[in-house]
Amino acid sequence: MTLLRRPSIEENGRYQHVTPENADWKYVGFSAYQLEEGQTFSLDASDQERCLVILSGIANIKAGDESFENVGERMSVFEKIAAHAIYTPNDCPVTVTANTPLEIAVCEAPGHGNHPIRWIKPADMSRETRGEGSNVRHVCNILPEDEPADSLLVVEVITPSGNWSSYPPHKHDSDNVPHESYLEETYYHRLNPSQGFCFQRVYTDDLDIDETMAVSDKDVVMVPKGYHPVGVPHGYESYYLNVMAGPNRIWIFKNHPDHEWMLKP
């Protein structure tokens, strides 16, 4: 089974749909929608908590008994503005109405009802720059492990033209806390300009998985296990939205030993 999912638009505006069932894993769900102004979609209550990330545009969102008006700000994921997001616990139905042309991601993982519905605004999100030289990338922590949720971890990353990201290669596929945590992961990719491409390799130590993909705008790469670096060609800027979840809500990764030398002083 390929780890690469190409977009395919459906009547309700959904063009990506990863579930534990169709991904053959246990924890992470991811969907992406593209709506015209005035268009609406609904999600039934389920056993999943959700983080609805406004990729671009503005929406009204009804979650359970709460309503949030004019959620969103940026009109492109490449604007230098963090996302707006709505967190919902399990057993919470959701309705989204687009106030402008809208792109929205729905991130899902098992919920246990421990946290209330809330609007996560850009001011609530930490931002950082990681790496040096051609390994620089810019990170926005939408739902990190120090913010309340049951299972979900959500982050977005901008990688400049010609740079590498998720690099040196690292993995988080062993349930061996405090040395490493097991987290499934999806990468939702965007390119600027949109006709561009980037590369992502997913591979394990024993090369049981070893897949290198040319990734286009709006593609999703699934990472069930293994290392997963991203390379961005000259002339194009990369955005990706990561969703991670596993048995423990903590991100502890292990760098590939062949490449860890570059992190030493």
Side-chain angles (χ1 to χ4, degrees), residues 28 59 71 100 103 177 208 235:
V28 170
V71 181
T100 68
E103 295 176 313
V177 176
D208 177 56

PDB file of all heavy atoms in Angstrom, residues 28 59 71 100 103 177 208 235:
ATOM      1  N   VAL A  28      -4.613   7.899  14.270  1.00  0.00           N
ATOM      2  CA  VAL A  28      -4.738   9.196  13.593  1.00  0.00           C
ATOM      3  C   VAL A  28      -5.804   9.167  12.502  1.00  0.00           C
ATOM      4  O   VAL A  28      -5.857   8.243  11.677  1.00  0.00           O
ATOM      5  CB  VAL A  28      -3.391   9.629  12.982  1.00  0.00           C
ATOM      6  CG1 VAL A  28      -3.569  10.855  12.081  1.00  0.00           C
ATOM      7  CG2 VAL A  28      -2.383   9.947  14.086  1.00  0.00           C
ATOM      8  N   ALA A  59     -14.678  31.109   8.844  1.00  0.00           N
ATOM      9  CA  ALA A  59     -15.834  30.226   8.976  1.00  0.00           C
ATOM     10  C   ALA A  59     -16.587  30.499  10.265  1.00  0.00           C
ATOM     11  O   ALA A  59     -16.024  31.002  11.243  1.00  0.00           O
ATOM     12  CB  ALA A  59     -15.387  28.766   8.944  1.00  0.00           C
ATOM     13  N   VAL A  71     -14.266  32.581  12.528  1.00  0.00           N
ATOM     14  CA  VAL A  71     -13.025  31.918  12.923  1.00  0.00           C
ATOM     15  C   VAL A  71     -12.079  31.916  11.726  1.00  0.00           C
ATOM     16  O   VAL A  71     -12.420  31.435  10.649  1.00  0.00           O
ATOM     17  CB  VAL A  71     -13.295  30.480  13.389  1.00  0.00           C
ATOM     18  CG1 VAL A  71     -11.992  29.805  13.813  1.00  0.00           C
ATOM     19  CG2 VAL A  71     -14.307  30.466  14.528  1.00  0.00           C
ATOM     20  N   THR A 100     -16.203  32.753   3.700  1.00  0.00           N
ATOM     21  CA  THR A 100     -15.404  33.105   2.527  1.00  0.00           C
ATOM     22  C   THR A 100     -15.009  31.775   1.878  1.00  0.00           C
ATOM     23  O   THR A 100     -15.267  30.712   2.447  1.00  0.00           O
ATOM     24  CB  THR A 100     -14.120  33.855   2.924  1.00  0.00           C
ATOM     25  OG1 THR A 100     -13.261  32.946   3.630  1.00  0.00           O
ATOM     26  CG2 THR A 100     -14.408  35.069   3.803  1.00  0.00           C
ATOM     27  N   GLU A 103     -10.559  26.720   3.314  1.00  0.00           N
ATOM     28  CA  GLU A 103      -9.853  25.445   3.395  1.00  0.00           C
ATOM     29  C   GLU A 103      -9.709  25.109   4.875  1.00  0.00           C
ATOM     30  O   GLU A 103      -9.233  25.940   5.660  1.00  0.00           O
ATOM     31  CB  GLU A 103      -8.484  25.528   2.736  1.00  0.00           C
ATOM     32  CG  GLU A 103      -8.555  25.780   1.235  1.00  0.00           C
ATOM     33  CD  GLU A 103      -7.168  25.955   0.632  1.00  0.00           C
ATOM     34  OE1 GLU A 103      -6.360  26.702   1.196  1.00  0.00           O
ATOM     35  OE2 GLU A 103      -6.917  25.327  -0.412  1.00  0.00           O
ATOM     36  N   VAL A 177       8.876   4.968  26.210  1.00  0.00           N
ATOM     37  CA  VAL A 177       9.043   6.197  26.991  1.00  0.00           C
ATOM     38  C   VAL A 177       9.867   5.873  28.240  1.00  0.00           C
ATOM     39  O   VAL A 177       9.648   4.849  28.880  1.00  0.00           O
ATOM     40  CB  VAL A 177       7.649   6.748  27.375  1.00  0.00           C
ATOM     41  CG1 VAL A 177       7.767   7.966  28.260  1.00  0.00           C
ATOM     42  CG2 VAL A 177       6.830   7.055  26.117  1.00  0.00           C
ATOM     43  N   ASP A 208      12.169  -2.402   5.724  1.00  0.00           N
ATOM     44  CA  ASP A 208      10.876  -3.043   5.489  1.00  0.00           C
ATOM     45  C   ASP A 208       9.914  -2.046   4.833  1.00  0.00           C
ATOM     46  O   ASP A 208       9.087  -2.417   4.002  1.00  0.00           O
ATOM     47  CB  ASP A 208      10.311  -3.563   6.814  1.00  0.00           C
ATOM     48  CG  ASP A 208       8.939  -4.172   6.659  1.00  0.00           C
ATOM     49  OD1 ASP A 208       8.807  -5.091   5.841  1.00  0.00           O
ATOM     50  OD2 ASP A 208       7.995  -3.740   7.358  1.00  0.00           O
ATOM     51  N   GLY A 235      13.241  27.367  -5.469  1.00  0.00           N
ATOM     52  CA  GLY A 235      12.170  28.095  -6.127  1.00  0.00           C
ATOM     53  C   GLY A 235      10.793  27.862  -5.549  1.00  0.00           C
ATOM     54  O   GLY A 235       9.848  28.562  -5.907  1.00  0.00           O
TER      55      GLY A 235
END
